[in-house]
Amino acid sequence: MSAPDTSDVRPHLNRLAEEGIDVVRVTYPDLIGIDRARDVLLHSLPAAQEHGLAFCRAVYHTSPQGDVVPVAGGLDAGLPDICVRPDLSTLAPLPWEPGVAWCLGEATDPVTGEPAAESPRDLLRTVLARAAEAGVRPVIGPELEYFLLEPAPDRPTGWRRAPETAGAVYTAGLRADPHNHLLHTLRRLHDLGIGVITGNHEFDGGQHEINLTHSDALDAADRAFRFKAAVKELARQEGKLATFMAKPFNDAGGSGFHLHLSFEDAEGRNAFDDPAGTHGLSPTARHALAGVLAHAPALAALANPTVNSYKRFGPDTLAPWLIDWGLDKRSAMVRVPPERGSGARIELRLGDASANPYLLIAGAIAAALLGVQDGKEPPAPIEGYGYDTTKAAVLPMDLPTALDALEADTALTEALGKDFTTAFLTYKRNEVERFHRHVTDWEFTEYAYHL
């Protein structure tokens, strides 16, 4: 496990002061990928680096509504602290907040110095250590979609898509984005330096997709985490709301979080490429693909982590709901793009935008490594459009089923760690319980007048 940058903070202080920075925002991801943070005045940065910033550990497993979920190490332990130190190697000025720099934080137990079991960043490090032992370096390219919303007091939710224009998939410009949100966001994210490369309007009104360049897995997860936090912040500056919720509207599709995954060998060569191999793929690539397919039901719990996630699935949604793969088939759960050579890779299309980048990436890599370890071959690729239930198994179609699949997949849970898996399952099953107790608008509309 790599340690945070604990070098002398003084050179950073001098550089930041010269750049007009007087505040450092220290951020870390909680269990579901929400950014938790504290602003540190520049003169206090040395103390924060030496002693750390105290956060209540239960913040890792606090619900979006602010309820503390009874995960071990939180309420049962008396709500103890974790210690978060700035990782100065990740410092970056915030282009939209003059005088503020942003960095990630490293969270540890203040007594043992060990990472908390719930730490998503450290979970990914654990999986990457397994990859290193196997002699490979995972490379990830993230693609995320989101909806931009504007206030709508006449709507039950208080929000509507901004705008509600239909039929503008794969477009750019004012026709589908009358306030130039996408251009503004792309430029700000570029200035932030998180590897943004392209952006376009997506299928539904107010929906956008922004792609990030590929890099080693931890860096890619860091950038995806910062990307989501930054997009939400920039939307708020516009008086709008950016949501990575899987499916926020009944009359619209969902938002995906696709991962392009490959391995490099010890010499830095793409370990998935083999011109003489079946479909131009190496045995490593085919075994990794087989591993992702074999562990897909459990992986769904990390890739589709909310009650809402499973409302994105279904025929003709271009969201995968069968456990299958195809050569350049967007209807498949795993697509193999046509590039070979250094571009050989698989695209996991299972994830939705609400997924925690660290957990999704860690789970995908762990499943791929298990496939390489087992040496199994994938089934035949799908032909045509797919979505044929006679040829492929159905993924879990609700969160409880996915959580049960994760718990039952002992090989994957061992790779992820028992403590993490227990914490995640406890948190998510509490979410399911709270949902089942909640009276929804649908129930009132369906029953109240007639019954």
Side-chain angles (χ1 to χ4, degrees), residues 158-177:
W159 299 93
R160 64 169 170 253
R161 284 162 279 176
E164 295 183 313
T165 305
V169 63
Y170 284 144
T171 63
L174 299 179
R175 176 157 50 101
D177 185 19

Side-chain angles (χ1 to χ4, degrees), residues 155-226:
R155 303 291 176 88
T157 62
W159 299 93
R160 64 169 170 253
R161 284 162 279 176
E164 295 183 313
T165 305
V169 63
Y170 284 144
T171 63
L174 299 179
R175 176 157 50 101
D177 185 19
H179 300 292
N180 262 335
H181 160 82
L182 184 61
L183 271 181
H184 172 78
T185 301
L186 281 173
R187 288 169 173 154
R188 294 290 195 175
L189 294 176
H190 172 73
D191 292 343
L192 183 61
I194 59 170
V196 171
I197 48 176
T198 62
N200 59 270
H201 190 271
E202 253 299 331
F203 189 84
D204 284 295
Q207 189 180 35
H208 302 276
E209 177 179 336
I210 293 180
N211 299 334
L212 306 177
T213 188
H214 62 277
S215 67
D216 69 85
L218 182 61
D219 177 70
D222 285 342
R223 291 184 295 108
F225 167 66
R226 298 177 94 158

